[in-house]
Amino acid sequence: MCVRLLYLNMVRVLGWLVLLCRSQASKDAEIMVLRHEVAILRRWTYPDRPGRPRTSQGHPLARENPAWGYRRVHGELCRLGHRISAATVRRILRARRYRPAPRRMDMSWRAFLRRQADGLLACDFFHVDTIFLRRL
């Protein structure tokens, strides 16, 4: 570690000594070349696109499957390899005026028992055990 630090310091000092020995014209030429390099790099860094990359909003999953909600569309996009958050999917679908998935009507316990009463009574109360340990 100390050897590396010593090496880096020596390289820096030698670079300064080389700058002292160079003429003003060569320093000006180097500055011009560096400014040109910066101008070229700025041209290719897309200054109009700050932040994260744009999302592709043309995916047909929601259009083809109107019964799917935000979560299902997000899950399918993740399964297909797209890196996108659930909030972004929700925002895109809301902007395109897709409605959330319809809620499933959950059956209450009382309604379930009423619909299954015949089968429950037959299974629980009306059976006969035979001598061979079989149930009728």
Side-chain angles (χ1 to χ4, degrees), residues 60-67 98:
L61 277 176
R63 192 175 347 109
E64 292 173 357
N65 305 296
Y98 284 105

Side-chain angles (χ1 to χ4, degrees), residues 31-43:
I31 289 175
M32 297 275 291
V33 168
L34 290 174
R35 285 183 180 167
H36 180 68
E37 183 180 348
V38 168
I40 289 173
L41 289 175
R42 282 190 182 154
R43 207 178 326 162

Side-chain angles (χ1 to χ4, degrees), residues 64-82:
E64 292 173 357
N65 305 296
W68 287 6
Y70 308 129
R71 290 181 183 167
R72 176 76 184 267
V73 171
H74 174 252
E76 289 296 320
L77 287 173
C78 288
R79 191 176 65 80
L80 291 172
H82 297 283

Side-chain angles (χ1 to χ4, degrees), residues 47-62:
D48 298 334
R49 293 174 48 189
R52 68 176 184 218
R54 292 182 51 85
T55 57
S56 94
Q57 299 189 7
H59 213 281
L61 277 176

